[in-house]
Each structure stands twice: as structure tokens, then as C-alpha cells.
Amino acid sequence: MIDRTLGSVLLGVVCAWLLIPVRADAQQPDVFADLPATIACEGTYPKHLQGVCTNDRDALYWSFTVDLVKTDLSGKVIRRMPVADHHGDLCYHDGKIYVAVNLGAFNQPAGQAQSWIYVYDAETLDELGRIEIPELVHGAGGIAYQNGTFLIVGGLPEGIEENYLYEYDESLAFRRRIVLPSGYTRLGIQTAAFADGHWWFGCYGSPPELLKTDRNFRIVGRWNLDAALGIVGIGDGRVLVASGPRDEEGNHLGFVHVTKTDETTGFRRIDTSDR
């Protein structure tokens, strides 16, 4: 039988331990610390890669225009499902996947696009809903989320010497259109992501272009770098940048490459020795 005095001491120690505050800023494990330098999405696809995102935990999501794919962090397919043409760039927020979708003409004068956001359950890829976004008059092409704000990008007819960013609140209610004085970029802006304290936009072109802005959408950098098939920040200045070559039969493939933000080059690829 435990002595009462000893029992009281033990009880006091246990209570004191239980009352120790848990720090809100306690270091979380870095789920991306051991990623390989390049991850290949399993399988081949009839149409090309449009964007990538992650749930910041254990999965990657890939939009292949007419196929929506969920993989683990090694690229192994968990689920693949056919979707409407065309599904563009995508983002993750609060257990859901949001995809910019255009069902009409792209990069044409206003009135010919049919712009939507399709919403999917991030676990199952079951469709949860569709939200029309008529403000994207040249076609919705990409979407990103940051701190209560969705930012949607899209097509651009030839001859327009600026791009447009469309800001929406948490419920996808329209807030404002932002003019980005970028000059003309081929087919507008394809991909968008917030990483390392800045917005990044991937554009087609010959050569392709990567645009960097501050939080107020002032352009602070641009490079001839191809990030038009997917950009996603994974913390600590690291960004996954997608590529989508074809195989010998002409089928489309998907890769993401681990990069670091770089003041001189925009992004630079890294390997395990750089981490």
C-alpha cells in the first residue's frame, strides 16, 4: 500500500505535468522532408497535365485535363476519375479540392467562356458541387488559396497587354478583379500558387514565363522558366514544379520536381544534398 505522503507527492507531480501548457507553435513534422527530387505520377493520360496540389499531409492531386488523379507522395495512384473537358489548375483547402473548369471557348473575347469551380472531396474525389464564376470572361484556368482568399486566373485573347486576377472569399463570393501589368502572355496565366511570402504565376510562351508578385500583386520578378503545368508551395522556401512530357506512344506523363525559390532564377531544382 502506497504511503499517503508519497501518494500525495505523486498526485501533485501528475497534476503539474497535466497543467504544462502546450505551445501553439510547437514544431510540426515535415512530411515533405524525404521527398525524392522528382516524383512521377503513375500511369499515362490522353491529355496533358494542367496543375498539381497537395493536402500537406500524405497526398498529391493531379489534373490531366479530363482525368483527376489522387496519388500518395511517391506518385502511386490512389484514385483516378474521368472529368469534364477541361479541368485546369487546382488547389486544396479544408478537406476539399477546388478545380478551375472552363466548358466554353478559351482565350476569346468576353461572352464565349463558361467558367466554373468544381469542388471535390479530397479523400474520395467524389464531386461535392459546382460554382459558376462568370467574372472569368476569357475562361477559368487556375485557382489557388491563401489565408481566406481564393485567387482565380485564366485565359487571355491576343492583343491584351495585361493579365487579370480574380479574388474570391472563403465561400467563393466574388470580391474584385485585379489588373496585373504583365504585358501579353500566351493564353493568359495557367497556374497560380502562394509560396515563400509571394504569389507565383506560370505562363505558356516561347519561351515560357514565370511571374512573381508580392502580397499586393506588384510584380517583383519574372523569368523564362516553365511552371505552367503546376506550382505548389510545400514550406521552407520549397516549391513543387510540374512537367508533362509525352511517352513514345504520345501519351501524357506527369512529374513534379522539388525546387527552391531563388532570387536570381525564380526556382532552382534541388536534391537531397541541398536539404
Side-chain angles (χ1 to χ4, degrees), residues 1-247:
M1 183 174 182
I2 299 176
D3 180 85
R4 286 187 177 182
T5 302
L6 178 58
S8 297
V9 171
L10 291 174
L11 180 60
V13 170
V14 171
C15 290
W17 179 80
L18 290 173
L19 291 173
I20 295 174
V22 177
R23 291 182 56 185
D25 61 348
Q27 187 70 33
Q28 297 297 315
D30 183 357
V31 299
F32 301 113
D34 297 322
L35 285 183
T38 295
I39 301 167
C41 180
E42 182 181 27
T44 62
Y45 300 87
K47 294 199 174 183
H48 76 80
L49 185 62
Q50 300 277 353
V52 295
C53 69
T54 175
N55 63 3
D56 294 319
R57 189 176 69 254
D58 58 7
L60 294 168
Y61 302 86
W62 314 67
S63 174
F64 283 93
T65 311
V66 293
D67 287 281
L68 185 61
V69 180
K70 177 182 180 179
T71 73
D72 64 18
L73 295 183
S74 73
K76 180 177 177 58
V77 171
I78 298 170
R79 185 168 184 198
R80 172 178 175 173
M81 58 180 290
V83 291
D85 189 353
H86 95 19
H87 271 50
D89 191 22
L90 69 174
C91 72
Y92 171 89
H93 172 56
D94 194 26
K96 303 179 183 68
I97 300 298
Y98 296 80
V99 191
V101 177
N102 179 48
L103 304 178
F106 212 75
N107 307 301
Q108 298 301 314
Q112 301 181 53
Q114 297 178 36
S115 298
W116 295 80
I117 299 300
Y118 281 36
V119 186
Y120 298 91
D121 183 279
E123 286 299 314
T124 64
L125 294 190
D126 292 338
E127 185 180 325
L128 300 177
R130 305 177 185 183
I131 301 168
E132 190 170 12
I133 47 170
E135 298 81 16
L136 274 287
V137 296
H138 306 305
I143 184 170
Y145 177 84
Q146 165 65 18
N147 194 28
T149 294
F150 285 100
L151 196 69
I152 304 177
V153 297
L156 192 71
E158 290 187 13
I160 298 179
E161 296 299 317
E162 58 193 20
N163 270 290
Y164 305 109
L165 316 173
Y166 300 84
E167 186 179 280
Y168 295 76
D169 70 11
E170 192 97 14
S171 63
L172 280 167
F174 179 63
R175 285 178 178 163
R176 60 174 177 149
R177 187 186 78 161
I178 301 159
V179 176
L180 189 66
S182 57
Y184 175 74
T185 59
R186 182 174 177 267
L187 308 185
I189 297 174
Q190 302 298 313
T191 56
F194 189 85
D196 200 24
H198 292 82
W199 285 101
W200 303 83
F201 303 103
C203 308
Y204 291 146
S206 299
E209 291 194 82
L210 172 67
L211 306 176
K212 176 185 178 182
T213 78
D214 63 16
R215 294 174 184 268
N216 296 313
F217 304 106
R218 293 184 292 249
I219 296 176
V220 296
R222 66 189 305 158
W223 300 269
N224 294 137
L225 187 151
D226 190 356
L229 299 186
I231 314 170
V232 56
I234 57 172
D236 194 28
R238 297 164 302 174
V239 179
L240 299 180
V241 177
S243 64
R246 296 191 186 201
D247 65 13

